[in-house]
Amino acid sequence: HSELLLRLHAAVTKIQVPRPGFNYTFAHICILNNDKTCIVDDIVHVLEELKNARATNRTNFAITYPITHLKDGRAVYNGHQLGGVTVHSKDRVKSAEAVQLTYYLQSINSLNDMVAERWESSFCDTVQLFQKSNSKVKMYPYTSSSLREDFQKTSRVSERYLVTSLILVVTMAILCCSMQDCVRSKPWLGLLGLVTISLAALTAAGIINLTGGKYNSTFLGVPFVMLGHGLYGTFEMLSSWRKTKEDQHVKERTAAVYADSMLSFSLTTAMYLVTFGIGASPFTNIEAARIFCCNSCIAIFFNYLYVLSFYGSSLVFTGYIENNYQHSIFCRKVPKPEVLQEKPAWYRFLLTARFSEDTTDAEEANTYESHLLVCFLKRYYCDWITNTYVKPFVVLFYLIYISFALMGYLQVSKGSDLSNIVATATQTIEYTTAQQKYFSNYSPVIGFYIYESIEYWNTSVQEDVLEYTKGFVRISWFESYLNYLRKLNVSTGLPKKNFTDMLRNSFLKTPRFSHFQEDIIFSKKYNDEVDVVASRMYLVAKTMETNREELYDLLETLRRLSVTSKVKFIVFNPSFVYMDRYASSLGAPLHNSCISALFLLFFSAFLVADSLINVWITVTVVSVEFGVIGFMTLWKVELDCISVLCLIYGINYTIDNCAPLLSTFVLGKDFTRTKWVKNALEVHGVAILQSYLCYVVGLIPLAAVPSNLTCTLFRCLFLIAFVTFFHCFAILPVILTFLPPSKKKRKEKKNPENREEIECVEMVDIDSTRVVDQITTV
């Protein structure tokens, strides 16, 4: 296949980018050697020499791995250019399954950048066209813009799925707010709740755009962050409305709703703002995560304002419609029952309503019990979950839940694969898969740049330089040249001028080093003396590229050496960008979440009415997060930036749903624990159930999006919602029935040492014949 590869190389170098008056080729935009020729991979020279050897019937040329010696005496490294290598004795290559060709372009001005960008696009087209005519060889083109384009492709492939999600959420929200009673049904409030969330999302997006913010595919998670928080707030207001008396004025009913539900909604909103505010601060060193948290913070803030104003006014408007006995959908006056009897059956079905004058005082308080979810919770589920025979099975299920969560938690893997953040069928996925499969024997080539003028002619300095590269496979002219000088014994005590003159002469006259003139920089002074101001060499570690932790340790080791060494140098490789992403994708979000958790615990300690609420919330959050991490691992989701952001959101989502439930239970007085568990479920269970149904229905279409990012998003958010729901409706109602606080009043014990003193005063008339009055004091 060497002939095929050389033809492909020739086709790539002949690519033309037309511009007005000129056609640019690779030769015009490539990085040049000192001899004004384009820098190309050494594997091309190896293939050309192999072709010439076959043409002249020479059999003495052999490709060795990972270093091959060419005819002109150069030692070229091919560890990162040959993949899947099978070798004979003495490292002679028998076969190779993959070859990697890299083309380096200049980036010096805007025109050059534009031409280079178009050249890269033509490069992909050329490779794909070449692939069609040579189907025996599989080719994977990849450019500097492939990752960005494939990352943004997620938003484009998700559009129709998000529209489907919106339709499903609207349908479910309307159904959850509807009931058979056409006056007390609130379908418009379900729709207006989603309109409220949409207005907040649009406002946040507008502010981000006007302030020069950048859009990225992680923004797909923002609507679901708002959906979980916003829908619960609106449904909680609707649930509080159902508890008010119908004979009250609308203003009084609205005041009762705000007093009952907005305090908890305000606290949870503040919690969201603190959590995402810290994520949007300079403490976060991941730009995508910072932008995501900033947008979420703005959206949550405006969602709170819109719920207070827009949704609250919508609730007032529907309240007046209800007081006037108007239809909840058509706003038409509902006729009296005696008038309805004369209408057709379908008409009576659409205008079914209960009038207050037709109900007794006992029935008036239960007007909304005809709602399906209210009826289900109050009449069936609350009694069933607190049944003595059901509790052991719930505890057993919880133990199974903890066992599986622990099993997954012990297998947590840290994700650093680029394929986790891009769409599925993309160039990035194909290229990185092939890269890890065939080119994992050696790490990427690491540039080792010495950027100061040191005494290169000094033997001790040479030893220091080589010492810092110890342990790596070193491929550089500098090491070869220093060893060459040491062998000739000319470096000992050699004056600086003689050293630099010999160095320059060696480059110009010695074939072995003449091809590496770009690796050293000379500076000529006023007295014609030449000084070496900078140099570079290349390092390759014997490691596994699939093991990202090992590469990250390599990066940190080199960085630490660059700070502590006597010789000033820097190290760089393009893959370090992704290694940094791996290093910070866990540390920064976890660090921010810990700060947020500590701040919230401190903040809530002064706001909650009972410290036991804080204890229960903390235990619940830990249980939920532990389970989500465990099951997330079992579902093959790695712990990367996206999943950690979802886990931070999971803390807020859990508190959002569980805090009102726990507060109602802990603050309840008298009766029994079971009674207050039932009461808490009746008060808050409907809102939790309604928001959960809408949330899950909205998440389902994400599972079908052909993108790993949305797949991770779906799995994490679904597990958060499911585990939280499991705790709200199963674990907490059972656990709270036999753990503190106790609800029965303690009888005050009488102190036996205290004696009762009785004072009796009698009032008699003047002649003391009868008692007029008697006062007794105890």
Side-chain angles (χ1 to χ4, degrees):
H1 296 96
S2 57
E3 293 279 353
L4 178 65
L5 292 172
L6 291 175
R7 289 204 311 270
L8 174 62
H9 173 68
V12 169
T13 55
K14 292 178 182 177
I15 294 175
Q16 293 185 353
V17 178
R19 291 290 299 163
F22 193 79
N23 290 333
Y24 289 89
T25 63
F26 176 69
H28 297 105
I29 58 175
C30 68
I31 297 179
L32 302 176
N33 287 322
N34 284 354
D35 57 359
K36 304 304 179 182
T37 60
C38 293
I39 295 178
V40 295
D41 281 345
D42 291 322
I43 191 64
V44 175
H45 301 301
V46 173
L47 294 175
E48 289 175 346
E49 191 156 328
L50 181 62
K51 179 183 177 181
N52 295 332
R54 287 178 177 173
T56 57
N57 292 324
R58 285 191 295 112
T59 58
N60 59 345
F61 177 73
I63 302 177
T64 55
Y65 182 82
I67 297 178
T68 300
H69 297 274
L70 298 180
K71 183 181 178 181
D72 59 5
R74 285 184 297 151
V76 297
Y77 173 75
N78 54 34
H80 65 299
Q81 296 169 349
L82 288 179
V85 177
T86 304
V87 295
H88 289 296
S89 59
K90 296 182 180 180
D91 295 333
R92 294 184 60 180
V93 176
K94 179 181 179 181
S95 64
E97 299 180 45
V99 175
Q100 180 171 250
L101 299 177
T102 308
Y103 298 90
Y104 307 93
L105 307 181
Q106 294 181 10
S107 178
I108 53 179
N109 52 49
S110 58
L111 175 62
N112 186 267
D113 288 341
M114 182 179 63
V115 173
E117 185 176 354
R118 293 187 178 182
W119 189 92
E120 287 182 345
S121 178
S122 300
F123 166 78
C124 293
D125 297 337
T126 301
V127 173
Q128 291 171 0
L129 185 63
F130 199 85
Q131 170 75 77
K132 292 179 181 179
S133 58
N134 300 276
S135 57
K136 292 183 179 180
V137 178
K138 186 65 177 174
M139 303 176 190
Y140 304 99
Y142 186 78
T143 66
S144 61
S145 58
S146 294
L147 180 61
R148 183 188 73 246
E149 293 173 356
D150 294 344
F151 179 62
Q152 298 294 4
K153 189 177 179 181
T154 297
S155 58
R156 295 194 297 270
V157 300
S158 303
E159 289 177 356
R160 60 190 182 97
Y161 298 96
L162 291 176
V163 172
T164 304
S165 177
L166 179 61
I167 294 173
L168 291 176
V169 173
V170 168
T171 304
M172 183 57 68
I174 291 175
L175 290 177
C176 287
C177 297
S178 301
M179 52 190 296
Q180 189 176 2
D181 194 320
C182 67
V183 173
R184 295 164 184 86
S185 181
K186 300 290 186 296
W188 285 114
L189 285 183
L191 178 62
L192 290 172
L194 291 176
V195 172
T196 304
I197 297 172
S198 301
L199 288 174
L202 290 174
T203 304
I207 292 175
I208 291 292
N209 289 334
L210 291 175
T211 54
K214 298 179 181 179
Y215 175 84
N216 61 64
S217 292
T218 58
F219 279 21
L220 291 174
V222 175
F224 296 96
V225 170
M226 298 177 59
L227 193 66
H229 178 61
L231 278 183
Y232 180 75
T234 56
F235 286 138
E236 187 69 24
M237 292 180 70
L238 189 56
S239 180
S240 299
W241 179 270
R242 295 192 190 100
K243 293 183 293 183
T244 58
K245 295 182 179 180
E246 290 189 344
D247 57 354
Q248 289 181 301
H249 194 272
V250 173
K251 292 182 180 180
E252 295 177 356
R253 298 181 72 179
T254 305
V257 168
Y258 275 79
D260 185 42
S261 60
M262 290 313 294
L263 177 60
S264 61
F265 187 66
S266 300
L267 293 178
T268 53
T269 300
M271 177 189 65
Y272 274 89
L273 293 177
V274 170
T275 304
F276 288 113
I278 294 177
S281 66
F283 293 108
T284 304
N285 54 359
I286 306 175
E287 185 67 18
R290 188 187 298 118
I291 295 174
F292 173 85
C293 292
C294 181
N295 195 15
S296 299
C297 204
I298 297 173
I300 290 294
F301 175 73
F302 279 99
N303 181 70
Y304 177 75
L305 295 182
Y306 286 139
V307 168
L308 278 177
S309 56
F310 178 77
Y311 191 79
S313 61
S314 302
L315 187 65
V316 172
F317 180 75
T318 55
Y320 281 113
I321 293 177
E322 181 180 333
N323 278 13
N324 296 331
Y325 286 95
Q326 293 174 270
H327 198 281
S328 58
I329 300 177
F330 308 112
C331 300
R332 185 180 183 276
K333 186 76 173 182
V334 177
K336 295 287 186 177
E338 55 271 15
V339 179
L340 281 176
Q341 295 299 326
E342 302 174 358
K343 301 293 183 179
W346 65 268
Y347 190 88
R348 293 197 304 271
F349 176 78
L350 289 177
L351 275 77
T352 301
R354 179 185 296 180
F355 285 80
S356 57
E357 55 265 25
D358 299 333
T359 59
T360 63
D361 293 338
E363 294 176 339
E364 185 178 353
N366 302 325
T367 309
Y368 284 97
E369 277 199 7
S370 59
H371 190 283
L372 180 63
L373 297 180
V374 175
C375 178
F376 169 73
L377 284 176
K378 194 168 186 178
R379 297 184 183 179
Y380 303 102
Y381 186 78
C382 290
D383 293 331
W384 178 80
I385 196 63
T386 54
N387 188 285
T388 306
Y389 299 101
V390 174
K391 292 179 182 180
F393 291 99
V394 174
V395 175
L396 179 62
F397 274 115
Y398 184 68
L399 295 177
I400 295 173
Y401 159 81
I402 290 294
S403 302
F404 277 92
L406 179 62
M407 183 171 62
Y409 187 82
L410 297 176
Q411 303 175 26
V412 170
S413 59
K414 299 176 182 179
S416 61
D417 194 348
L418 295 180
S419 61
N420 291 338
I421 61 171
V422 297
T424 305
T426 56
Q427 295 176 354
T428 301
I429 297 290
E430 296 176 348
Y431 176 80
T432 53
T433 302
Q435 182 82 11
Q436 293 178 1
K437 181 179 180 181
Y438 297 111
F439 300 95
S440 58
N441 290 335
Y442 294 93
S443 73
V445 178
I446 302 169
F448 183 94
Y449 305 94
I450 301 175
Y451 59 93
E452 67 170 344
S453 179
I454 60 175
E455 298 179 352
Y456 291 89
W457 58 90
N458 193 319
T459 307
S460 61
V461 174
Q462 297 171 9
E463 293 292 342
D464 289 338
V465 173
L466 295 178
E467 179 65 26
Y468 293 123
T469 60
K470 187 177 181 180
F472 301 97
V473 178
R474 295 176 290 275
I475 50 156
S476 67
W477 71 269
F478 193 63
E479 180 198 3
S480 301
Y481 195 76
L482 292 181
N483 289 331
Y484 171 72
L485 293 178
R486 196 179 306 135
K487 286 179 181 179
L488 294 179
N489 234 350
V490 296
S491 61
T492 306
L494 193 67
K496 173 183 175 183
K497 189 175 187 311
N498 293 347
F499 176 84
T500 53
D501 289 342
M502 185 180 62
L503 196 61
R504 295 181 69 198
N505 293 333
S506 297
F507 275 137
L508 296 175
K509 299 177 181 179
T510 307
R512 185 177 180 184
F513 303 109
S514 60
H515 295 274
F516 297 95
Q517 297 178 42
E518 70 276 6
D519 290 331
I520 192 165
I521 300 176
F522 295 101
S523 175
K524 183 177 290 188
K525 297 184 179 179
Y526 65 92
N527 57 355
D528 291 335
E529 183 180 351
V530 176
D531 193 13
V532 180
V533 296
S535 61
R536 69 179 179 182
M537 65 182 71
Y538 298 98
L539 312 175
V540 181
K542 181 70 174 177
T543 182
M544 295 293 290
E545 191 172 352
T546 53
N547 191 341
R548 299 287 172 170
E549 292 185 9
E550 193 172 350
L551 279 179
Y552 172 63
D553 292 339
L554 168 63
L555 171 61
E556 287 301 304
T557 301
L558 290 174
R559 281 179 172 171
R560 186 168 58 252
L561 286 175
S562 68
V563 175
T564 59
S565 67
K566 300 177 183 177
V567 180
K568 295 180 180 180
F569 67 89
I570 57 175
V571 289
F572 178 75
N573 181 276
S575 63
F576 286 174
V577 177
Y578 307 116
M579 293 300 101
D580 287 338
R581 174 190 172 273
Y582 158 71
S584 57
S585 63
L586 298 180
L590 289 177
H591 179 260
N592 293 339
S593 63
C594 291
I595 295 176
S596 303
L598 292 175
F599 180 84
L600 291 172
L601 288 176
F602 176 79
F603 182 69
S604 59
F606 298 96
L607 298 177
V608 297
D610 195 322
S611 58
L612 198 57
I613 298 175
N614 258 350
V615 175
W616 273 115
I617 290 177
T618 304
V619 172
T620 305
V621 168
V622 170
S623 179
V624 170
E625 291 291 291
F626 180 74
V628 170
I629 294 175
F631 284 99
M632 182 180 72
T633 305
L634 295 178
W635 208 353
K636 298 181 180 179
V637 177
E638 296 180 335
L639 204 60
D640 57 6
C641 181
I642 303 298
S643 57
V644 170
L645 285 175
C646 290
L647 290 174
I648 296 174
Y649 164 67
I651 298 174
N652 298 329
Y653 184 84
T654 303
I655 297 177
D656 225 353
N657 288 271
C658 297
L661 200 69
L662 291 168
S663 300
T664 301
F665 172 81
V666 171
L667 298 178
K669 304 296 182 183
D670 298 336
F671 303 112
T672 61
R673 297 191 189 99
T674 302
K675 173 66 177 177
W676 277 106
V677 165
K678 292 180 180 180
N679 187 42
L681 282 176
E682 291 173 4
V683 172
H684 303 287
V686 176
I688 297 174
L689 191 56
Q690 287 174 323
S691 62
Y692 173 78
L693 291 175
C694 295
Y695 192 71
V696 171
V697 164
L699 282 177
I700 290 175
L702 281 184
V705 179
S707 171
N708 292 329
L709 187 149
T710 53
C711 181
T712 300
L713 200 65
F714 164 75
R715 292 182 179 183
C716 293
L717 294 180
F718 179 81
L719 285 174
I720 289 170
F722 178 77
V723 175
T724 303
F725 178 80
F726 178 60
H727 278 71
C728 287
F729 281 90
I731 302 303
L732 288 177
V734 170
I735 299 297
L736 291 175
T737 56
F738 49 82
L739 288 178
S742 177
K743 298 300 176 184
K744 293 183 179 180
K745 280 187 175 181
R746 296 179 181 178
K747 296 181 179 179
E748 296 181 0
K749 295 181 180 180
K750 295 181 179 180
N751 191 344
E753 297 180 358
N754 295 338
R755 297 179 181 180
E756 295 183 353
E757 298 181 1
I758 301 177
E759 178 184 1
C760 183
V761 179
E762 292 184 353
M763 299 177 65
V764 296
D765 56 2
I766 297 177
D767 54 2
S768 300
T769 57
R770 63 188 181 88
V771 177
V772 178
D773 197 1
Q774 178 174 308
I775 302 174
T776 303
T777 303
V778 179

